[in-house]
Amino acid sequence: NVDTEGYTRQKVVLGTNPPNQPTRYSTRNYDVGTGVRIEDVVRTYSGMKESTLLSQLSDYNLHAQLANALPEVEALIQGDGDASLATCLSEFWTAWQDVAMNPDNMAMRNVLLEKAGALADQFNELATRLDNYTGGIADGAGPDFSGIVPTIADEINTMASEIQSLNQRITIATNQGVNANDLMDKRDTLIRSLSEKTNISVDADKTVTIDGQVLVSGDGTVLNELTVTSTSPITLAIDGVNVSITGGELGGWLQTAAITDTLRTDLDAMANELATQVNALHTTGYDLDGNLGVDFFTGTGADGIAVNALLYNGSNPLLNNPRLVAAAATLYDAGPPAVPNTGDGAIALAIADLCKTDIAALGDLTFSEYYTNLLTSLGTDIETEQALADNGESVINTLLTAIQSESGVNLDEEMIDMISAQRAFQAASRLVVTIDEMMDVIINQMG
């Protein structure tokens, strides 16, 4: 069993059989031994080390899952080159700068509308990506939830059912005085696998709980299911009571979903503030016809922001209306009729200057700084999780080595035991041979 996964070394405990005592008819005055019997088969098991291992397995799988998932999230929101939000934002500000320097240039105005449309589309795309990713973690409505989290919950319930069966069989065997060491090995292997999925606590009687709620009882009479009860936010419950999942692969996915939700909220804040700040200036300016400007952006949130359809047609640039871009802060003549100041680009310049304005709603950061800060924070989280996963793996390997040295099969010890048994057999054989030789001598002399 040196290579048998989950096998715990077992030792046979021997006891002396009652001796044959001399009787009144025997010629001897001493006891005659009748050999030994097996009194018990004991598992070499360290509950303390096993408990520590379960905790470390849960912790390691949490960080390993985050270390694997967060780079995917980073790729979703970072983009590359022309497809990045940072690039679209930079080109948007530059387009306003160009209009400020050439207020009556229709080509510049059209470029501005196209860059604004590209920026809004990028916000929409990032929102869709994050929503789809979060939906892949958990989506739907009860009881038909789908995604990774419900799948892992089903795996946990399957393991719990197997542990329940083993607990029942072990309880019956123990009550009947039957050895159940092999069943205990199987149960411990399952519990290890379960700890890789989520944070569990295991009592001395092998009752398994999650956040204080019983998943399976030590005697196997109680089995509760872990169920997904909501996807926004993702919540799980046992027997109707919400439980906090803070470890294992499941905990890693839940934290990943929480991070993507936070990023989604941050993108919404950025999109909303962009629309608010640009619209506040644009509606105070004048277009090429001398009319006050309309809202430049419509919609709310990263998924809803769009360039006003009065100005921009995303499907056909020929239907754009660049004359409605309110770049001027003044009229040449207030009229009536109002005469536009086509050489005035003050509003366009003010909007362009938003690129270097600290926005209170964004933590007194500029738009670019705010977005960069999101990426930097996420990158730091990735490095931290990777370091924690690497460290956790080392700790687990050390614990497994310690447990194996104590509870696993020791080939050197097995060899010594085998040689000892061989020598005992040789000694017993020699005794038989010696007696045979003595009997032979006696018989020959009598003959």
Side-chain angles (χ1 to χ4, degrees):
N1 286 300
V2 66
D3 294 322
T4 302
E5 182 180 358
Y7 177 79
T8 301
R9 181 170 48 182
Q10 301 179 24
K11 282 289 187 180
V12 176
V13 178
L14 301 177
T16 305
N17 286 327
N20 285 334
Q21 297 177 338
T23 66
R24 59 186 297 182
Y25 302 107
S26 63
T27 58
R28 57 183 170 83
N29 59 359
Y30 53 86
D31 295 343
V32 176
T34 59
V36 297
R37 66 180 182 276
I38 296 176
E39 291 191 340
D40 198 3
V41 180
V42 180
R43 297 170 74 221
T44 307
Y45 176 81
S46 173
M48 182 190 71
K49 290 180 181 177
E50 190 68 24
S51 177
T52 303
L53 177 62
L54 294 180
S55 175
Q56 290 300 318
L57 284 172
S58 177
D59 192 57
Y60 163 72
N61 280 275
L62 167 73
H63 296 302
Q65 180 55 53
L66 284 167
N68 290 331
L70 291 185
E72 298 175 355
V73 177
E74 183 182 44
L76 292 178
I77 68 169
Q78 187 172 26
D80 184 29
D82 295 339
S84 71
L85 183 62
T87 300
C88 291
L89 196 58
S90 176
E91 292 177 348
F92 175 69
W93 301 129
T94 300
W96 276 111
Q97 184 89 29
D98 292 341
V99 170
M101 292 187 295
N102 303 277
D104 59 348
N105 188 303
M106 299 301 290
M108 295 293 185
R109 287 169 170 257
N110 261 317
V111 169
L112 167 63
L113 293 177
E114 291 299 321
K115 296 301 182 182
L119 177 59
D121 288 344
Q122 187 63 19
F123 270 114
N124 300 159
E125 176 64 21
L126 293 184
T128 299
R129 291 177 188 174
L130 290 177
D131 289 345
N132 289 341
Y133 193 84
T134 304
I137 296 175
D139 203 359
D144 299 321
F145 293 106
S146 62
I148 296 172
V149 167
T151 298
I152 296 176
D154 288 342
E155 293 174 358
I156 290 172
N157 291 330
T158 299
M159 291 182 193
S161 178
E162 294 175 1
I163 292 172
Q164 178 198 30
S165 176
L166 287 169
N167 281 353
Q168 291 174 339
R169 294 166 64 188
I170 291 170
T171 299
I172 293 172
T174 302
N175 290 339
Q176 294 177 349
V178 178
N179 184 285
N181 288 342
D182 290 342
L183 295 178
M184 292 179 183
D185 285 346
K186 291 180 180 179
R187 179 176 62 186
D188 287 342
T189 300
L190 271 172
I191 289 176
R192 283 189 187 183
S193 298
L194 186 59
S195 70
E196 294 174 356
K197 296 295 182 181
T198 186
N199 50 296
I200 60 173
S201 297
V202 183
D203 295 342
D205 66 348
K206 298 302 179 180
T207 294
V208 180
T209 61
I210 298 178
D211 192 27
Q213 298 302 309
V214 175
L215 185 65
V216 56
S217 63
D219 58 6
T221 58
V222 177
L223 175 66
N224 293 314
E225 285 194 348
L226 178 67
T227 58
V228 179
T229 56
S230 172
T231 59
S232 184
I234 304 173
T235 56
L236 296 100
I238 293 178
D239 196 25
V241 179
N242 286 350
V243 291
S244 177
I245 305 298
T246 58
E249 183 184 359
L250 181 57
W253 279 115
L254 291 177
Q255 287 196 26
T256 301
I259 290 172
T260 57
D261 285 343
T262 300
L263 289 172
R264 182 71 164 77
T265 300
D266 291 340
L267 281 176
D268 283 344
M270 185 177 175
N272 288 336
E273 199 59 29
L274 177 68
T276 299
Q277 295 294 331
V278 172
N279 288 346
L281 290 170
H282 193 262
T283 54
T284 63
Y286 297 96
D287 62 23
L288 285 180
D289 296 320
N291 299 312
L292 280 172
V294 297
D295 282 342
F296 190 85
F297 287 112
T298 59
T300 59
D303 59 335
I305 189 172
V307 181
N308 195 324
L310 295 175
L311 288 81
Y312 174 71
N313 189 303
S315 60
N316 187 354
L318 295 177
L319 298 179
N320 290 347
N321 195 348
R323 295 187 64 82
L324 295 183
V325 174
T330 62
L331 293 172
Y332 181 75
D333 186 350
V339 178
N341 189 350
T342 57
D344 183 1
I347 292 296
L349 182 60
I351 294 176
D353 285 343
L354 287 174
C355 71
K356 54 187 177 184
T357 302
D358 294 338
I359 309 298
L362 301 182
D364 290 325
L365 299 173
T366 67
F367 288 101
S368 295
E369 288 172 345
Y370 185 76
Y371 178 65
T372 300
N373 190 56
L374 296 184
L375 294 178
T376 302
S377 178
L378 183 57
T380 301
D381 288 342
I382 292 172
E383 290 181 0
T384 300
E385 295 303 331
Q386 288 174 339
L388 290 172
D390 291 341
N391 181 65
E393 186 176 17
S394 299
V395 172
I396 287 173
N397 289 335
T398 300
L399 280 170
L400 287 174
T401 299
I403 291 173
Q404 182 66 19
S405 65
E406 179 178 348
S407 303
V409 175
N410 187 316
L411 290 179
D412 292 335
E413 183 178 309
E414 294 297 323
M415 180 63 72
I416 292 172
D417 289 344
M418 185 179 69
I419 292 174
S420 298
Q422 184 180 23
R423 293 292 184 264
F425 177 78
Q426 289 173 342
S429 298
R430 185 59 185 166
L431 174 63
V432 173
V433 170
T434 301
I435 293 175
D436 182 65
E437 290 175 349
M438 292 173 62
M439 293 299 296
D440 185 57
V441 171
I442 293 173
I443 291 172
N444 288 333
Q445 287 181 350
M446 290 178 61

